[in-house]
Amino acid sequence: MLEIGKFDSDTDALKQRINTHDKFGTYDLNEWIFEHMMPKVGQQVLDLGCGTGKQSIPLAQIVGESGHVLSVDIWQKSLDGLMQTAQQVGVNQRINTVCSDLDELDANVYGQEFDRVLSSYSIYYIKKPRHVFETIYKLVKTGGVFFFCGPSRFNNLEIKQFHYGLRGEQVPSPDWSDTFIENIGLPTTQSLFKEVAEFRFENPLRFDSAEALYRYWSSYNLYDARLDSAFKVAAADYFKRNAIFTTIKRVIGVRAMK
Ligand SMILES: C[S@@+](CC[C@H](N)C(=O)[O-])C[C@H]1O[C@@H](n2cnc3c(N)ncnc32)[C@H](O)[C@@H]1O
């Protein structure tokens, strides 16, 4: 199973990755998420593994004054950052946070139901999938939606090939996080929810300099300090011959209706 690593828990690395996706990505992941999750004014939303609020903040704007967002994350520092942004944007009255491991969600979020539950790039950190999905099922109102998304098994194949190529190796078989949505999330929701649909999204990240490529790699969980100088040299060499390095974020989303 996937252990939470520095690059997942480090608030600064997360911010850096989000900035990279915003700057170098071709499409907007949030637009795609909201299209399938369909949040509306006045709704109660639960954002699981919310991080620094990439979805919680716009969701609070979408649900408006009559709606509410409950944002859950295992890292208090990320939740503090989220509330700071919420205050700056003027939506802090519509958001509450809960610091909890998703595996213990049932002990920390109960006695309420939500119109929408989201888990963007976080559900694969759980260690007790059946238990957590059953908890989520109970938290969704009848007629409500649970949407979760994360990487597909071919996610970022291009930068992985570049990285493993430095060691003269092939890209290894996909790990727990790269297969969780397809192998575990999808069948588990199918066994619980009334209507389940799968969606795919591809977002090419186009880097225009060796420095930009290095910054992305060093904020990503592929990073290996032992390859640091080799990566810089190979990236510089690549950009002598090419103007752009493209790696593709390949995302799978599952929408489960109760
Ligand atoms: C990659 S970030 C995703 C943040 C945001 N949802 C997004 O899409 O940008 C993953 C988040 O999941 C949180 N996380 C990881 N393991 C967790 C767990 N077991 N319980 C709750 N949150 C967890 C991390 O702290 C981090 O904020």
Side-chain angles (χ1 to χ4, degrees), residues 159-178:
I159 198 165
K160 285 178 186 164
Q161 280 167 340
F162 192 85
H163 169 97
Y164 286 100
L166 297 175
R167 300 208 296 230
E169 292 171 10
Q170 298 287 319
V171 177
S173 304
D175 62 17
W176 166 265
S177 64
D178 287 340

Side-chain angles (χ1 to χ4, degrees), residues 4 8-9 14 17-18 47-51 54-55 72-75 78 100-103 120-122 124-125:
I4 182 163
D8 310 302
S9 60
L14 178 59
R17 264 201 323 278
I18 290 173
D47 185 6
L48 302 173
C50 58
K54 181 167 187 224
Q55 289 84 29
V72 179
D73 203 277
I74 199 168
W75 290 98
S78 294
S100 169
D101 187 328
L102 293 183
D103 281 307
S120 166
Y121 279 82
S122 57
Y124 41 79
Y125 292 112

Side-chain angles (χ1 to χ4, degrees), residues 130-153:
R130 184 81 208 171
H131 172 72
V132 176
F133 277 88
E134 280 175 359
T135 303
I136 293 170
Y137 180 79
K138 287 184 203 146
L139 290 170
V140 178
K141 282 184 193 171
T142 303
V145 169
F146 169 38
F147 184 82
F148 58 100
C149 61
S152 89
R153 64 183 69 230

Side-chain angles (χ1 to χ4, degrees), residues 35-83:
E35 183 191 327
H36 297 299
M37 175 191 171
M38 305 176 297
K40 296 189 175 59
V41 173
Q43 287 188 329
Q44 304 292 311
V45 177
L46 177 63
D47 185 6
L48 302 173
C50 58
T52 47
K54 181 167 187 224
Q55 289 84 29
S56 287
I57 301 288
L59 281 168
Q61 291 169 320
I62 293 170
V63 297
E65 278 179 22
S66 55
H68 187 263
V69 178
L70 184 62
S71 304
V72 179
D73 203 277
I74 199 168
W75 290 98
Q76 186 59 48
K77 191 177 165 198
S78 294
L79 296 174
D80 293 344
L82 185 159
M83 286 314 292

Side-chain angles (χ1 to χ4, degrees), residues 35 41 46 77 88 96 140 179 190 194 216 236 246 254:
E35 183 191 327
V41 173
L46 177 63
K77 191 177 165 198
Q88 284 157 8
N96 280 98
V140 178
T179 54
Q190 278 165 338
K194 193 171 71 181
Y216 180 60
T246 303
V254 174

